[in-house]
Amino acid sequence: MKINSISIRLIRRSAELWHAPRPVPADDFPYFDFPLVTVGTDEGVEGYTMEYCPLGQGRATAYGLKDIYSIDLLGQNPLHHEKIWQRLRAKQRHLYNVTPSMWSTLDVALWDIKGKVAGQSIASLLGQYRDRVPLYATCAPQTITTPDEVGEAVADKIKQGFAGVKLQFNGGAARDIPRLRRAREVAGPGYPLMVDAAAGLMFEDALKIGHVLDELDYEWFEEPFSDANVLMLKKLSDTIRTPVLAAETVSLFELPHYMIGGAVDLVRGDAHHKGGITGIMKALGMCEMMGYGLEIHTAATPLHDVANLHVGCATRLSRFLESHHPMFRFGLKNDPLRVHPDGCQHVPNGPGLGVEIDWDWVDNHTVEVI
């Protein structure tokens, strides 16, 4: 079997979906273009994957995938995913203006092909541990600002059946602490709450917030400041009881230093940021050997989040999976990323990714084919 084609569709979604009920800001992008990648083979088996794009990089990423990586895949056996992965890893050494996340996307398509050829789900090929993972909802920050709005959002997510709720705040201690308190008041004791500062705080504010999170019994304090601030991450994790979750933006081969140095309490990763399915499984192996949990981050594209679901069902290290904004659930029949009544996502058991693409929907939302 050989890879003989790579084609990419740009799938467009209006940014109005992301900002509703507020209007799209004048200085923001009016739409998101998601690159849907099809990797074809000479035996007719196709693998699918999709890239991340909410910051206007969709079209550039699509052309990057074609221009930079086609030469490395065409003519290769897609079942030899490790050989291809190592080739792309070596190439990355001189791709100074491109992150490994781009070729992580292609790795997902190879696993989709591998599963289809074997007639097994990706989770099964990875050595399935479970068939479902508890799912928490992340509240989109642009639509909740006041404590009352936070309370309404948390109550809505609990009503929808999610196993936890994550908030995304980095407004500083004075602004964020009342909102964090309101979330706990609404959720009640014991219900899993998390907060993600998306690298937006200074240490002083993070420390004040961290002590309040201890009091309010939050599950974790995610990326309080840049992952590059290793000393501050360690200082914070040594000071507060709430686990510090970080290393989302850290490459796979930098990750061991964060664990060896005790800079984090929990590791962040997913099949997009850590080198595809092949890479995130290597990260999970590192974490298990060193006694760390790894919480799987959303990839904000439906096919990649299905890949994350398969990975989550092949490990015991992740307590949860993450469900972000509904606009990232599209183009797949039967909504495989939905929350079930048990508060979990259930892994598809069909071959490969195990999902059915709604090609009519895709055709109606395709703006360019590369």
Side-chain angles (χ1 to χ4, degrees):
M1 176 180 282
K2 302 293 183 184
I3 297 170
N4 65 1
S5 66
I6 299 173
S7 62
I8 305 169
R9 293 170 176 250
L10 284 182
I11 310 300
R12 181 163 293 178
R13 304 213 80 196
S14 171
E16 293 175 353
L17 300 167
W18 173 250
H19 291 280
R22 296 181 173 90
V24 179
D27 61 349
D28 210 340
F29 299 99
Y31 48 77
F32 295 0
D33 282 346
F34 293 84
L36 169 60
V37 183
T38 302
V39 177
T41 68
D42 58 0
E43 296 186 15
V45 182
E46 294 181 334
Y48 302 107
T49 187
M50 188 177 286
E51 249 293 351
Y52 175 82
C53 72
L55 299 175
Q57 72 272 52
R59 190 168 183 272
T61 300
Y63 275 90
L65 287 168
K66 175 182 179 294
D67 294 345
I68 301 170
Y69 299 109
S70 292
I71 193 171
D72 297 295
L73 270 69
L74 292 172
Q76 297 295 315
N77 186 333
L79 304 183
H80 298 170
H81 68 272
E82 180 69 19
K83 176 184 176 182
I84 295 171
W85 192 91
Q86 293 292 349
R87 177 171 176 162
L88 297 178
R89 175 201 167 189
K91 185 172 187 174
Q92 183 65 42
R93 169 63 181 83
H94 294 286
L95 287 174
Y96 303 116
N97 51 356
V98 176
T99 76
S101 295
M102 190 180 291
W103 53 265
S104 298
T105 295
L106 298 171
D107 183 76
V108 170
L110 301 183
W111 277 94
D112 191 28
I113 293 172
K114 193 179 186 77
K116 290 172 178 174
V117 170
Q120 297 186 47
S121 71
I122 292 172
S124 179
L125 290 178
L126 295 173
Q128 189 163 337
Y129 175 75
R130 51 188 169 178
D131 64 3
R132 65 197 67 189
V133 186
L135 186 68
Y136 70 82
T138 292
C139 295
Q142 74 278 5
T143 57
I144 54 171
T145 55
T146 69
D148 285 344
E149 287 175 328
V150 170
E152 292 170 5
V154 171
D156 180 59
K157 298 301 185 185
I158 293 174
K159 184 178 179 181
Q160 291 178 43
F162 287 97
V165 174
K166 189 178 84 173
L167 304 165
Q168 291 186 298
F169 297 151
N170 56 22
R175 186 181 183 196
D176 291 349
I177 287 173
R179 298 192 288 180
L180 295 166
R181 290 191 182 280
R182 180 59 180 156
R184 176 51 75 199
E185 288 172 3
V186 170
Y191 183 82
L193 293 175
M194 310 83 164
V195 64
D196 178 2
L201 297 173
M202 299 296 289
F203 181 81
E204 294 82 356
D205 273 330
L207 187 61
K208 292 176 183 177
I209 291 169
H211 286 308
V212 172
L213 297 179
D214 289 348
E215 173 195 338
L216 299 176
D217 196 27
Y218 272 62
E219 299 296 316
W220 66 64
F221 191 179
E222 184 172 345
E223 201 177 358
F225 23 76
S226 170
D227 285 334
N229 294 332
V230 179
L231 293 178
M232 290 297 97
L233 284 170
K234 177 171 173 49
K235 186 175 179 181
L236 182 66
S237 63
D238 286 346
T239 304
I240 66 173
R241 177 175 52 81
T242 302
V244 173
L245 171 64
E248 174 184 322
T249 64
V250 173
S251 75
L252 180 66
F253 292 93
E254 295 169 327
L255 182 57
H257 304 293
Y258 284 73
M259 293 186 283
I260 293 169
V264 297
D265 301 304
L266 289 168
V267 170
R268 197 53 146 163
D270 62 71
H272 184 254
H273 294 7
K274 292 291 187 285
I277 293 172
T278 303
I280 190 63
M281 293 306 295
K282 294 175 189 288
L284 283 162
M286 290 183 209
C287 288
E288 184 155 23
M289 294 305 101
M290 299 188 68
Y292 280 84
L294 187 152
E295 290 297 334
I296 297 175
H297 174 261
T298 182
T301 81
L303 288 176
H304 231 118
D305 276 333
V306 172
N308 282 333
L309 173 54
H310 282 276
V311 170
C313 286
T315 181
R316 67 182 183 88
L317 301 188
S318 302
R319 287 185 58 200
F320 298 98
L321 290 173
E322 179 176 15
S323 177
H324 211 295
H325 198 283
M327 79 164 295
F328 299 120
R329 298 206 327 254
F330 61 85
L332 301 178
K333 294 184 177 181
N334 303 316
D335 194 11
L337 296 172
R338 68 189 181 279
V339 59
H340 286 258
D342 59 2
C344 295
Q345 272 182 350
H346 295 191
V347 71
N349 56 20
L353 289 169
V355 297
E356 185 179 358
I357 295 175
D358 186 341
W359 288 109
D360 290 336
W361 187 97
V362 168
D363 286 341
N364 289 333
H365 291 81
T366 295
V367 296
E368 185 177 355
V369 179
I370 302 167

